[in-house]
């Protein structure tokens, strides 16, 4: 049990800003057990419109318990701010890992381990008659134990309606800047009479396959209206290698193990320069991803939801046969620097002082 008392937590470092600027995540020390945790601080004045979504996230996490879903530890109100406590995921989100260290995409085995963990979370969610509706790399967090955990449950919805399983017809709550649209399935975006069900999450997983494998967010450079039109017409993202990236003049040859090791264990340093873009194109055009990886993304991204496999079926896909019990995700992404709480972080210390001066007051806006 974790106490819902700000005085039991010592902020140690600022990790990131999130949720469109309405929240900040800190590492903190839970003083009664000397345990490092993550403390998400919501600014209540900025989150009035999103209060229901934040409550949805907390209530869903309370209800669902699985090793691949980010656990809820406790939450409390201090002054005009809400705090939610979770385990500290030492390596951050997969989107952070891609942006900072793997611009060209993760090693294929690392992709397999992460995607397996996401599928285990989705298998559990779907058996509980929940749809996640926001599966993307920024909502997949990697811990020091090598496990990936699914977060972002504020968009989750139950398929159980009046005691019966049903299809949904409404859109998920809008995320900031409609950022979630790039991962949503065509049938969800169409909003037709057929509705959608848990196989919409499988489509999002297919988009995440390309996100992890390529490093880039699919559809990110496409205007929203055009992206929606292309999705509905059946256009899907692809894994980029020599079989799908034909514009580079060099021949389509698989890389040797030594070359792959060199590629994935040096700093990416792509940046926005012409040289950086050229190097990234060279990486895509001269590498060869496995046929099973391509097949996994293709079946998950099938335009017809009835032809998409379930999470359980995908867990038996040949792509995951490469994973051995001894494979350890942090070792495969060795250049990623883990979050190291710094008790001397002045910004965290100043905030801690400010919080200790605030009157603890529970407001009716946050009722858990």
């Amino acid at each position: 049990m974790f106490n819902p008392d700000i005085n039991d937590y010592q902020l140690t470092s600022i990790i990131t800003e999130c949720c469109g600027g309405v929240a900040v995540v800190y590492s903190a020390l839970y003083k009664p057990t000397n345990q490092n945790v993550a403390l998400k601080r919501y600014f209540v004045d900025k989150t009035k419109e999103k209060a229901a979504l934040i409550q949805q996230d907390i209530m869903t996490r309370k209800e669902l318990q699985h090793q691949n879903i980010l656990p809820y530890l406790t939450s409390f109100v201090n002054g005009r701010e809400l705090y939610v406590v979770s385990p500290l995921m030492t390596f951050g989100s997969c989107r952070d890992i891609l942006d900072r260290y793997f611009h060209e995409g993760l090693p294929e085995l690392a992709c397999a381990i992460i995607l397996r963990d996401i599928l285990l979370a989705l298998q559990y969610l779907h058996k509980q008659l929940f749809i996640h509706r926001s599966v993307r790399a920024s909502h997949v967090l990697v811990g020091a134990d090598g496990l990936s955990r699914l977060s972002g449950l504020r968009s989750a919805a139950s398929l159980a309606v009046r005691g019966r399983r049903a299809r949904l017809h409404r859109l998920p709550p809008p995320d900031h800047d409609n950022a979630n649209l790039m991962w949503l399935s065509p049938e969800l975006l169409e909003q037709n009479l057929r509705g959608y069900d848990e196989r919409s999450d499988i489509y999002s997983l297919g988009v995440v396959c390309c996100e992890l494998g390529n490093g880039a967010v699919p559809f990110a450079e496409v205007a929203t209206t055009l992206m929606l039109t292309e999705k509905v017409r059946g256009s899907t993202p692809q894994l980029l290698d020599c079989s799908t990236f034909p514009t580079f003049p060099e021949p389509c040859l698989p890389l040797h193990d030594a070359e792959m090791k060199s590629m994935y264990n040096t700093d990416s340093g792509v940046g926005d320069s012409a040289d950086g873009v050229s190097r990234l194109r060279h990486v895509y055009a001269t590498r060869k991803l496995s046929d099973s990886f391509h097949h996994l993304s293709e079946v998950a991204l099938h335009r017809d939801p009835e032809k998409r496999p379930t999470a359980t079926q995908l867990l038996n896909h040949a792509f995951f046969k490469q994973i051995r019990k001894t494979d350890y995700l942090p070792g495969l992404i060795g250049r990623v620097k883990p979050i190291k709480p710094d008790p001397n972080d002045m910004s965290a210390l100043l905030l801690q002082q400010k919080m200790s001066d605030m009157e603890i007051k529970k407001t009716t806006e946050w009722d858990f």
Side-chain angles (χ1 to χ4, degrees):
M1 291 291 294
F2 288 78
N3 298 329
D5 184 345
I6 192 65
N7 295 312
D8 284 334
Y9 299 87
Q10 173 63 53
L11 301 190
T12 50
S13 295
I14 296 176
I15 297 176
T16 188
E17 184 180 277
C18 60
C19 303
V22 301
V24 176
V25 181
Y26 302 87
S27 64
L29 183 70
Y30 180 59
K31 292 185 282 189
T33 60
N34 205 38
Q35 182 177 346
N36 287 317
V37 296
L39 200 64
K40 182 181 282 190
R41 172 195 180 207
Y42 290 95
F43 304 100
V44 173
D45 290 338
K46 294 183 180 180
T47 57
K48 287 181 180 178
E49 295 179 1
K50 297 188 177 183
L53 296 184
I54 298 167
Q55 288 178 317
Q56 164 79 17
D57 188 7
I58 292 173
M59 298 307 293
T60 305
R61 285 169 58 192
K62 279 185 177 181
E63 182 177 347
L64 302 171
Q65 296 183 8
H66 187 272
Q67 69 170 2
N68 296 113
I69 293 177
L70 184 68
Y72 164 86
L73 300 180
T74 191
S75 59
F76 51 88
V77 172
N78 185 69
R80 296 287 299 163
E81 293 166 349
L82 169 71
Y83 294 84
V84 180
V85 184
S86 304
L88 180 63
M89 302 299 284
T90 307
F91 293 98
S93 76
C94 287
R95 187 66 256 164
D96 290 337
I97 291 171
L98 293 167
D99 286 343
R100 297 174 185 174
Y101 303 99
F102 286 91
H103 300 273
E104 73 278 18
L106 293 170
E108 187 169 321
L109 180 55
C111 292
I113 293 172
I114 293 168
L115 290 167
R116 177 202 60 189
D117 286 354
I118 299 173
L119 279 169
L120 287 169
L122 290 178
Q123 180 188 51
Y124 170 78
L125 277 172
H126 296 167
K127 284 182 178 179
Q128 304 302 313
L129 296 183
F130 274 92
I131 309 180
H132 189 281
R133 300 196 300 181
S134 191
V135 179
R136 62 197 207 209
S138 61
H139 287 158
V140 180
L141 309 178
V142 180
D145 56 2
L147 283 179
S148 299
R149 293 177 173 86
L150 196 56
S151 65
L153 288 166
R154 60 184 174 273
S155 296
S158 175
L159 287 168
V161 178
R162 291 188 289 275
R164 295 186 177 183
R165 188 184 183 283
R167 295 174 70 88
L168 299 182
H169 294 83
R170 66 185 185 278
L171 279 167
D175 218 337
H176 64 280
D177 297 329
N178 291 322
N180 202 39
L181 293 176
M182 293 176 284
W183 287 267
L184 296 183
S185 67
E187 68 271 16
L188 195 158
L189 295 171
E190 280 182 308
Q191 291 291 284
N192 59 30
L193 294 176
R194 292 180 61 190
Y196 62 93
D197 59 17
E198 68 274 13
R199 299 203 189 205
S200 178
D201 282 343
I202 300 302
Y203 182 95
S204 299
L205 179 97
V207 179
V208 174
C209 282
C210 300
E211 189 178 6
L212 297 178
N214 300 338
V217 176
F219 304 113
E221 302 302 321
V222 180
T224 300
T225 304
L226 178 59
M227 180 267 292
L228 297 176
T229 302
E230 289 300 308
K231 271 194 177 185
V232 171
R233 290 174 56 188
S235 176
T236 59
Q238 289 183 312
L239 288 168
L240 300 178
D241 67 0
C242 63
S243 67
T244 58
F245 200 79
T247 57
F248 199 81
E250 294 191 13
C252 176
L253 296 173
L255 294 175
H256 296 294
D257 290 346
E259 292 172 302
M260 289 294 287
K261 183 176 180 181
S262 174
M263 179 194 304
Y264 285 124
N265 288 279
T266 57
D267 182 51
S268 293
V270 172
D272 296 322
S273 67
D275 288 345
V277 172
S278 177
R279 177 191 174 280
L280 195 57
R281 289 167 60 87
H282 184 277
V283 169
Y284 292 149
T286 57
R287 72 178 179 182
K288 180 67 177 78
L289 301 174
S290 70
D291 292 340
S292 62
F293 197 4
H294 281 286
H295 185 261
L296 177 77
S297 68
E298 288 166 6
V299 296
L301 290 166
H302 203 289
R303 174 65 180 85
D304 183 353
E306 300 301 322
K307 294 182 179 179
R308 288 178 213 143
T310 64
T312 300
Q313 290 169 333
L314 280 180
L315 283 166
N316 292 315
H317 194 278
F319 177 63
F320 300 109
K321 305 299 183 187
Q322 64 183 295
I323 304 174
R324 297 168 297 182
K325 290 183 179 180
T326 55
D327 288 328
Y328 181 53
L329 180 58
L332 298 170
I333 56 173
R335 66 181 179 223
V336 178
K337 296 177 181 177
I339 296 168
K340 292 184 178 180
D342 179 8
N344 297 315
D345 185 334
M346 288 306 298
S347 56
L349 291 172
L350 290 171
L351 179 65
Q352 187 78 37
Q353 181 61 43
K354 175 188 172 184
M355 289 191 302
S356 65
D357 293 339
M358 293 173 67
E359 177 187 359
I360 299 178
K361 178 183 177 183
K362 187 148 185 169
T363 71
T364 55
E365 290 177 83
W366 304 103
D367 182 13
F368 306 108

